[in-house]
Amino acid sequence: RKTNELQIKDLNYYQADINLIGGWAKKFDLIECCGVLHHLASPTEGWRNLEALLNSGGLMKIALYSELARQDIVRLRREIAVAGLGGDPQAMRAFRARLFDDPGLRDSALAQSGDFYSLSAFRDLLFHVQEHRFTLPLIAAALDRLGLDFCGFEMTDQRSLAAFRARHPDPAALVDLDLWHGFETDHPMTFSGMYQFWCQKIE
């Protein structure tokens, strides 16, 4: 609708299953996939399918959940599973209300998340039927297998970025996932909003 309204003539839309697009002949210079791969049965297969569509030298933006940053969510998801809570609106609202009565959670980073206050976002946060989480060593290994170079994070928390740069002033450190892993280990909530990063297909 907006395309027609703005009279854009050179934009094409496609809708497809990410698990079935690996054989497409169409190639792209830029691919963004944020908040999708970690909900697939096999995130690495979905990522491989996207990589197959990326031109040599092309750029890709990926967003994945952090294992370290989501430990509170892991615990709550386990509680939800044990209680057999469904994803219906009434059950979700009741569970959210109970969380607000927990002093330990009411003032936590989890309760400060914007996802807490929209029912659809709250479903994605805690009630999604499938979730995979990653560590930076796992991401580094996946990038190596896929022939992708890490280009750097998109950081929403500038304080974490400043703290990392204070610890590692060499500009090359910004693309060193081993150094970032050490930093995240010491500061587990660094990527509470997901790892969001750019990578490039090796020419």
Side-chain angles (χ1 to χ4, degrees):
R1 179 178 62 82
K2 297 300 292 184
T3 301
N4 291 334
E5 180 182 311
L6 297 171
Q7 298 183 354
I8 297 173
K9 303 298 183 184
D10 59 350
L11 185 62
N12 296 318
Y13 291 95
Y14 301 89
Q15 181 176 339
D17 185 333
I18 199 171
N19 293 304
L20 304 175
I21 61 174
W24 276 13
K26 182 74 173 173
K27 301 287 184 180
F28 302 91
D29 294 318
L30 176 67
I31 294 174
E32 292 192 34
C33 186
C34 300
V36 176
L37 294 177
H38 48 226
H39 290 309
L40 298 179
S42 176
T44 52
E45 283 305 306
W47 197 353
R48 184 177 299 281
N49 287 341
L50 292 176
E51 178 275 327
L53 303 183
L54 190 63
N55 281 325
S56 179
L59 292 168
M60 182 182 290
K61 180 183 177 184
I62 296 293
L64 298 166
Y65 286 146
S66 163
E67 181 73 52
L68 291 176
R70 290 179 73 83
Q71 285 308 296
D72 282 346
I73 292 172
V74 169
R75 179 174 57 81
L76 291 172
R77 284 176 60 85
R78 189 179 301 119
E79 186 178 325
I80 289 167
V82 169
L85 297 178
D88 61 277
Q90 183 176 352
M92 287 192 292
R93 288 190 178 102
F95 187 73
R96 183 171 56 184
R98 188 162 65 80
L99 291 180
F100 275 119
D101 290 334
D102 182 342
L105 280 170
R106 189 168 53 239
D107 298 322
S108 70
L110 179 62
Q112 306 307 314
S113 167
D115 291 345
F116 220 74
Y117 302 95
S118 159
L119 197 61
S120 60
F122 187 69
R123 177 184 288 110
D124 188 57
L125 182 70
L126 288 174
F127 284 81
H128 200 290
V129 296
Q130 185 162 250
E131 170 180 312
H132 298 277
R133 294 167 301 279
F134 289 78
T135 63
L136 291 177
L138 286 175
I139 289 173
L143 289 167
D144 186 58
R145 286 194 304 271
L146 294 169
L148 298 168
D149 277 335
F150 178 71
C151 299
F153 290 109
E154 279 194 9
M155 301 290 293
T156 55
D157 183 356
Q158 293 300 303
R159 291 172 301 177
S160 291
L161 179 58
F164 178 86
R165 297 184 77 166
R167 181 188 289 194
H168 304 290
D170 183 351
L174 291 172
V175 292
D176 188 323
L177 286 173
D178 287 335
L179 294 180
W180 274 110
H181 178 56
F183 183 84
E184 187 189 16
T185 301
D186 293 340
H187 307 279
M189 297 307 292
T190 300
F191 297 101
S192 59
M194 295 193 296
Y195 300 119
Q196 297 197 50
F197 59 92
W198 288 89
C199 49
Q200 184 172 30
K201 190 165 184 175
I202 298 171
E203 296 191 61

